Structure formats: C-alpha cells, structure tokens
Amino acid sequence: MPIRSFPDNFSMPHIPSTKTQPSYDVIVVGSGAGGGQTAYTLTMEGAKVLMLEAGRNYDPVKETPMFQTNAQAPLRGTSTPDKPFGFHDATIDGGWQVPGEPYTSASDDPARKFWWWRARMLGGRTNHWGRISLRNGPYDFKPHSRDGLGFDWPISYEDLAPYYDKTEMLVGVFGTNSGLENTPDSPDGCLLPPPKMRAGELLAHHRTKKLGIPVLPIHRAVLTQKQDAENLPAKLHPKNAKAQRIAAQAMRERAACFWATACGRGCSIKANYQSTTVHLPPALATGNLDIVSDAMVRAVTLDDNGKATGVSYIDRTTKEERTVKARVVVLAASSAESVRILLNSKSARFPNGVANSSGLVGKYIMDTVGARLNGHIPALENLPVHNEDGAGGAHVYVPWWLYKEHNKLGFARGYHIEFESGRRMPGMGAAAGVERFTGGNYGKQFKEDARRYYGSFMGFAGRGEMIPNEDSFCELDPTVKDKWGIPVLRFHWKWSEHETRQAAHMQKTFVEIIESMGGKADKPDATGAAAIEPGGKIIHEVGGTIMGADPKKSVTNQWCQTWDVKNLFVTDGGAFCSNADKNPTLTIMALAWRSSDYLLEEMKKGNL
Amino acid sequence: MNAPDSTNPTRMDRRSAIKWMLTAAASVAIIDRAASAAESATPAAGYGTDPDLIKTYKPGDVWALSFNDKQRRAATALCDAIIPADDKSPAASKLGVPDFIDEWISAPYPGHSNDKTTVLDGLAWIDAESQKRYGNDFADLVLRQKNAICDDICSFGKAKPEFKKAAQFFRKFRDLTAGGFYSTPEGMKDIGYVGNVATATFEGPTPEALKHLGLA
C-alpha cells in the first residue's frame, strides 16, 4: 500500500467497527504506551495491524487547550470528580472512577484499597502523563538476587538497553548522564539537552550538596530541540527505507518545546511524547494500521486447539458485540485491564481464564510508593519577576542515592524525589492560605502579601519501589458487572513494612531538604503508614501478568508472550515482575518494542 | 507566624490550603491535589467527563448561579475590600470575581455546597453586622466602616470568640476572591506571572533572580 503523507488537515484515519478486514496479522488491544509502541514497531515492519481502543477517538492537534487560562475554565480549572486533574487536563472519560465501569475492593479498610485510574480515549494515559522517562538500572532487573525479595526478571539490563536507546531516540527524551550507581547513562545521541533549572530547583541543587543528596536534571519525554530527522531514522529502522522515510517525516512534524503550557494538557505541537502524536501517526502512515475506537474488549477468542483466534468486543456506539480475527493477539489495555480480559476469557479448556495455568493472572500487582511534603522557602519570596514555565513539568529530580545504606535503613529498595516549584500559572492556589503566614490581611496589604508569597512554596514527592506481595492482587468480582455486562475487577491491596518505612524515610528527607534551603516544612507524618499514598494513587499500575523463566511461576516469558498460548502477548506494564522507583512508561515502551521484534521474527519463521 | 497553634484551623484545612496554594506550582507528575475529587464515586451533574476544553466558559454557562441581588451586592463589596484597586491592578469586582464566586458556590460538585452555606451565611452575617453597627448594608458603608468590620474578622487567630465563625467565612471568601482574581490576565500580571507565551529558549532565572537567591 502507498505511504500516506501528512497533509495539513491530517487527522487519525479511523474505521467503524463494521469496516474491519476479515483477518489481520495482529490485533493490538489498547493504544497507550504499550499498544502504541507495539503497533508502531509491527506496522513499520509491514505487519497488518488492527488496534482496538475502548475510549473515543482523540486528536490532540485539534483538542489540546494549549494557552487557555484558568479563568477560561469553569471553577478556574480546579479539580472536580469529572476532571480529577483539573479542567484542562487531557484526560477524557477517565479518572479513578469511570461512570458505568466500576471496580470493587475486597476490603473496606482505606489502607487496603487500590485506586485504579483509567482513561477512555485514544492514546490512553499517555496523553496526560508526567513524561518522566527513567531507565531501570542493572539492579532493577535482578532484585531477588540482591536482597532475596520479590522476583528477578528473566532479562538483564543489557537485554533491554538497546531498546531503551531506540525508545529514547524515537520519543525524544531530555536529560543528562549522571554516572550514578544503578542510574544508567544513555549512549551519545539518545538524550536531548536538559532545560536550565528553575530558581527553586537551582537553590535545592546547591543547598542539598552538603546533605549528599544529588539534585540533577530529570529525564522527561519533551523535545528541547527538534529531533535529528536526518540520522535517527536509520538507527531506529536499519535496512528499512520505507520505515526510515516515515519516521523522518513524523519527526519533522514535531516541533521543539516552546517553553509554555503544562504537559498534562497534551501537546498540539507534538513537542512531548504521547502515543497519539508520536506512535500512531507514523504507524498509520505505513498504511498497515486500522484503528477502531469505542471498542470495549471483552475476551480473547480461542480455537479448539487453545490458540487465540482474535477478540470479542462491544462497539460502544451501537452496543453490539463483535468479533475480529488475527494470527496474533496482543493485549496492552493497561495491566489490570489486560488481566480482566484474560480472566474473562473463560472456556471449558480454560475455566480460570486464558493463560492462567499458573494461577498467577492478576497476582503481584504493584504501584509506586508515594509520599509528599510541602514547604515554604523564604528565599523564594519576592523573587524578581521572570518566566518559569519551562518544559511544562519538573526539570530536576533526586535519583536514589543510598544504595550502600540499605542494611541500615530498614527497607530494601530505593526511591527518587520529584519536585514541584516555580512561578506557574495562577489558579485557585494563588495566595490561598497565606493567612497561615501573614496572620490574615485584606486590602492593599493583602495584594502585597500575594506578590510576596507567590512562587515561594515547593512540594517534594517521593516515588519508591514496591516489592510484589501475596496480598496485592486482583480477580473477577463474582457478581458485579459494568454497563456493558462485562464482569469487573475486585482488588486486594496491602503495603508491607518495606514500603511504609520507605515512606517514613521520605518524610524525614523532605524536611532535611526544605531546611537545607532555609525553608520551613509542613508537619511531616510521623509514621510511614500515615504518609504513604493509597495503592494505585501514583498510577504506576504494573504486574498481574508477570514475566519469568518458569511457566509455573509466571504468566509470560521474557518476550511478554504467554506461556500457555503462544500467539497471545501482553505488552503493557503487566509483565513487570518488579516495579523499580523509575517511572514505568519508558520501560513499558522498550519492552513492547523488544517483544514486537520477537513477534515479527516468530511470524516470519512461521511459528505464530 | 508559621507556628501551628490551637486557634489555627484543623490540620486538614491547613493541608487543603497549602495544597491549593501549590496548585499554582503543580507539576503533572504530582497528583495529590486530585485526592478530594477522587474520593467521590458519584458522578455529579456538572460539565461531564468529556467537556470541550478549547471553549471559554463564563460563570452561569454550565450550571445556574445562586446569588440574589442583596447577596451579590455584599459579595461585590467584600471582594473589593479584600482586593481593592491599586497602582498595579483593578479591584476584584472589575474582573468578574463576584460572578466567579457565585459559580463556585453554585457548582454541583462535592464540597461546594458546604462552601455555599459558608458564603451565604457569611454574607448575611456581614450585612446584619453592618446594620447593627452603622444602620446600613455592608455595600453602603464608607471605607472606614468596612475596614472596622474586616479588622475584626480578617484573622482567625486574632479574632475574638464572637467573630470566629465570621473569620472562618472571611478566610474562605478571601481564598475564593484571590483564586478568582489572580487567574485573570490582569491578576496574573499583578502577581508576577509572565509565562504562557511561546518563546524560542528557556533561560532559567534572570541575573537579578540569581542575585536574590545568593547564587549570582
């Protein structure tokens, strides 16, 4: 088929559910980081792919509120149950609750509840995510070998490193190499230059040196300069002229960051990574991709030999149940949603759901350990006015710096620290609560107070590694169904002391950092159990279809291929058998690329 | 000034206040501010989960407003007592803040009905107090008289016991007034926000800012 070009009025070519082909090489369920990368890799190599997305079609070029101010939104843009991250956040039909699509909790204890964030839109959660893109390090793939806890991955850092390289080059990640332990450097040509530090970030960088805490440029998927469309495509797609041509064109379509607007709104100029601006346009340009939105997948369909034949789904627009066929099925619906599909794929042969001979589908779900603390930094009061928008999110972070101290810390794994600072666009937070500092004013003095305190607060958030445990899992609820009649998930959750002690350590560290800057911290939560965020709150949901070397102890192999059904793969975060403090998205993409390469090879060999 | 004491609001209130304050500095990576919204499982009859994000909304566009004339007069006068005109920006009422406060208290989302009670009771109180002291509604008082009432209620910590409830109202009303005001273009300029413009480069702190930080 001819390569599609990118005309000015380019929008996602979509097909209705009635126009699907009789059969495809691969069906990809989900269009976020995992599904987007899978579809990209497969279509660039010529596979015919159908992508099914449960949410509606979404075009960030047309729909992103780039320069809209809070005053242009209802309630000055503040969070509501309809838009939990604020009015202008990119999320559509999503949040910790999706109307008509419930999930349940096995316990009423708030500490035992899991919060499940979903987005029902093309591109899924990649449209609003924080763009923090950190590589797992060598230790992170072999945690059990290091401390006897959790599981080792069946792959090492070296296995995934080439795919981290390619993913960074494709999506565009800024950052620097630190040379720090278990914080991998990227080869030359992978990372874009980091933006300069903002005032508060720079102050922290200097003041925390005496604490031995490294405040360094973070890695985020934002183009700080145009991508090198001349040289990168050949590195991404060697010996594939068509793919190189498409990749080059897609890179030219992306602008560099213009240092304004929050990344969580999405990016109409395609300067940051979201599946809808980076993965899907070139995948569609190959002519090898069909996308059906509003397709709520119920189950994987199987033949008499236990081989996947396709999927069944509900067309949300007509409420009709439909089936589509393919040689290979890839689930990338988000780790818990993929678990749900597997468990709902019941048959006489697979009474407990498909790919579940180990009984481990849904087990070992993980989130990131989160705790936070705010502080007031007097040095930032009355800061001379300047523009601190920057790259629409944090420019620095603190990578875990105490790998040598774990025997003294009382918890096994590390965390990194993310920052909130700067003179950002005012909303309902502007000058709210300054009575706490001024004693309470009004009139012209209040206006002076507002100018003085604006931008003088910083927030610190720890993001730490959770160890998989037996008490954190999901299963089908025996009675509850969603509005499509599909059984829903019931979650079980429990933090171990490794996580709560880590959260307590975070609190102590935040106070130290704030005080090193001459600031005053809010009262920290004395115990980690109070400080730790609920499971799922950080939206780093992984596990549930963990990979391993033993079919009895894992759901997928190192290629994210289910042990039981060789033409069924899971390329979202489900295959993670540990959840390092590094945010999972970059690793999801790198793993999806690696798995897709294997899938293509196996198809070529006739094994699939 | 920063020391917590027994006269301060509850711990939860302080946390929400600082959370609000940080919304101005929110990075998308940090999601704590969404907590209260997430705790409610009941979808409200608001703008829905897929509103048009490009459109400019005005108070009253999505749900009906609540103020009667008397309440609006009192709210307008109090907004302007809190944020009067000075050489940098106009008074709050000139930028539509009373309408915004009406939108806020009329919203169908969790928490807003409590704010509605606080605000409407507070506005009724301030008119009654004005009548008691000066025989006029708050909006009809002269500046000295308005200030006398505001002085009694502008600080929860210093307010006499009989003014504690009014001080709670005042604190909420001031936060709403400030949020409504500083999110407008004129308010953003006043507070010193100069972003939301496309630029070719990001230069970081200016030399003056570095000097201010002691990092020059």
Side-chain angles (χ1 to χ4, degrees), chain A residues 56 72 76 80 82 84 93 372 374 381 389 424 429 435-437 439 441-443 447 451 520 525 537, chain B residues 1-2 11 20 22 24 30-31 34 47 49-50 57 84 86 89 109 151 155-156 174 180 190 196 212:
Chain A
R56 76 157 169 88
Q72 289 172 278
R76 288 335 199 225
T80 67
D82 283 334
D93 295 332
R372 59 166 300 130
N374 303 322
E381 289 174 19
D389 278 0
R424 303 297 182 85
E435 178 171 339
R436 191 179 155 204
F437 300 94
N441 283 313
Y442 66 94
K447 292 179 89 169
R451 291 164 198 142
K520 167 96 178 153
D525 279 310
K537 184 82 179 298
Chain B
M1 178 161 88
N2 190 13
R11 180 168 167 277
W20 261 21
L22 273 158
I30 296 174
I31 56 180
Y47 46 67
T49 54
D50 188 10
Y57 294 80
D86 64 4
S89 62
Y109 296 110
D151 285 341
S155 168
F156 188 87
R174 182 177 46 213
D190 179 334
N196 206 34
H212 182 90

Side-chain angles (χ1 to χ4, degrees), chain B residues 50-70:
Chain B
D50 188 10
D52 182 344
L53 302 186
I54 303 296
K55 190 181 145 184
T56 294
Y57 294 80
K58 297 187 305 297
D61 280 359
V62 188
W63 49 83
L65 303 183
S66 305
F67 281 157
N68 60 31
D69 289 345
K70 184 172 160 64

Side-chain angles (χ1 to χ4, degrees), chain B residues 17-182:
Chain B
I18 196 96
K19 215 153 69 179
W20 261 21
M21 202 153 18
L22 273 158
T23 311
S27 98
V28 288
I30 296 174
I31 56 180
D32 194 59
R33 65 202 152 98
S36 57
E39 277 153 17
S40 166
T42 318
Y47 46 67
T49 54
D50 188 10
D52 182 344
L53 302 186
I54 303 296
K55 190 181 145 184
T56 294
Y57 294 80
K58 297 187 305 297
D61 280 359
V62 188
W63 49 83
L65 303 183
S66 305
F67 281 157
N68 60 31
D69 289 345
K70 184 172 160 64
Q71 289 161 343
R72 184 172 295 106
R73 282 188 82 229
T76 301
L78 189 55
C79 279
D80 288 352
I82 291 167
I83 300 189
D86 64 4
D87 56 358
K88 287 204 168 170
S89 62
S93 68
K94 296 286 181 279
L95 301 180
V97 175
D99 282 345
F100 158 69
I101 293 176
D102 198 354
E103 175 193 52
W104 182 274
I105 64 163
S106 308
Y109 296 110
H112 290 263
S113 65
N114 283 345
D115 287 352
K116 183 176 191 173
T117 306
T118 302
V119 167
L120 295 185
D121 287 358
L123 293 174
W125 178 89
I126 209 163
D127 268 346
E129 185 71 13
S130 301
Q131 286 288 350
K132 191 171 97 186
R133 293 194 200 185
Y134 308 111
N136 260 324
D137 279 352
F138 184 73
D140 298 321
L141 303 186
V142 297
L143 184 63
R144 179 182 50 78
Q145 294 168 330
K146 286 179 184 164
N147 287 353
I149 292 176
C150 289
D151 285 341
D152 285 338
I153 61 174
C154 72
S155 168
F156 188 87
K158 292 179 202 148
K160 291 177 187 161
E162 63 267 33
F163 294 126
K164 286 290 184 203
K165 192 173 176 219
Q168 246 167 355
F169 152 70
F170 192 89
R171 188 174 56 212
K172 166 65 68 178
F173 198 89
R174 182 177 46 213
D175 284 352
L176 293 174
T177 302
F181 180 82
Y182 290 111

Side-chain angles (χ1 to χ4, degrees), chain A residues 42-370:
Chain A
L42 296 176
T43 56
M44 284 296 215
E45 295 300 325
K48 302 289 183 192
V49 174
L50 171 67
M51 172 177 278
L52 298 174
E53 163 55 45
R56 76 157 169 88
N57 186 17
Y58 169 66
D59 182 355
V61 173
K62 291 179 185 151
E63 298 191 55
T64 307
M66 293 297 279
F67 290 99
Q68 272 73 2
T69 64
N70 289 313
Q72 289 172 278
L75 304 176
R76 288 335 199 225
T78 200
S79 302
T80 67
D82 283 334
K83 295 283 291 187
F85 284 178
F87 188 79
H88 286 135
D89 175 75
T91 303
I92 292 168
D93 295 332
W96 281 290
Q97 297 294 337
V98 174
E101 299 187 28
Y103 56 92
T104 63
S105 176
S107 170
D108 290 332
D109 178 354
R112 305 288 304 266
K113 287 193 174 178
F114 181 82
W115 297 24
W116 189 22
W117 178 285
R118 291 161 292 174
R120 292 285 182 244
M121 63 193 299
L122 193 69
R125 297 180 288 200
T126 67
N127 295 302
H128 90 124
W129 72 305
R131 274 77 182 178
I132 295 172
S133 303
L134 306 172
R135 294 181 180 215
N136 281 6
Y139 301 171
D140 301 322
F141 291 95
K142 303 295 172 190
H144 183 267
S145 297
R146 283 176 53 79
D147 59 25
L149 299 167
F151 309 106
D152 284 350
W153 296 54
I155 56 173
S156 65
Y157 175 72
E158 287 68 32
D159 292 318
L160 205 55
Y163 290 95
Y164 278 131
D165 297 352
K166 288 205 285 188
T167 305
E168 286 174 349
M169 288 187 272
L170 173 67
V171 306
V173 175
F174 73 70
T176 50
N177 289 329
S178 66
L180 291 177
E181 187 174 11
N182 199 39
T183 305
D185 290 345
S186 299
D188 286 348
C190 289
L191 296 176
L192 300 167
K196 288 182 179 159
M197 296 182 192
R198 299 185 181 90
E201 296 170 334
L202 192 64
L203 191 66
H205 171 76
H206 284 281
R207 296 287 184 261
T208 56
K209 279 180 184 161
K210 60 189 174 226
L211 302 173
I213 295 175
V215 174
L216 300 172
I218 198 170
H219 294 214
R220 291 183 63 241
V222 179
L223 300 185
T224 51
Q225 59 188 37
K226 287 276 286 181
Q227 282 176 299
D228 181 358
E230 302 304 316
N231 296 304
L232 291 180
K235 294 181 183 172
L236 301 180
H237 304 288
K239 298 180 195 156
N240 184 339
K242 176 184 168 184
Q244 289 176 24
R245 208 160 56 236
I246 292 170
Q249 178 65 15
M251 288 178 183
R252 288 187 196 104
E253 298 286 330
R254 298 181 65 190
C257 181
F258 54 34
W259 314 108
T261 80
C263 291
R265 297 175 173 211
C267 192
S268 69
I269 64 167
K270 307 184 179 183
N272 64 32
Y273 163 78
Q274 55 202 104
S275 172
T276 38
T277 56
V278 177
H279 279 139
L280 300 185
L284 285 162
T286 64
N288 296 325
L289 180 63
D290 282 346
I291 300 176
V292 176
S293 315
D294 294 301
M296 183 74 195
V297 171
R298 175 196 291 275
V300 178
T301 55
L302 301 160
D303 66 15
D304 292 343
N305 301 316
K307 214 177 154 199
T309 56
V311 301
S312 66
Y313 68 96
I314 291 149
D315 180 336
R316 301 198 312 169
T317 61
T318 63
K319 299 188 171 57
E320 282 177 326
E321 181 127 3
R322 307 190 67 87
T323 56
V324 277
K325 293 190 181 308
R327 285 168 69 186
V328 181
V329 172
V330 179
L331 301 182
S334 90
S335 58
E337 194 71 56
S338 292
V339 164
R340 183 183 176 203
I341 293 167
L342 292 174
L343 293 177
N344 274 315
S345 306
K346 289 182 189 175
S347 62
R349 178 189 285 260
F350 299 116
N352 300 317
V354 75
N356 199 16
S357 64
S358 62
L360 293 178
V361 170
K363 300 295 194 292
Y364 306 116
I365 57 171
M366 292 163 271
D367 188 31
T368 289
V369 180

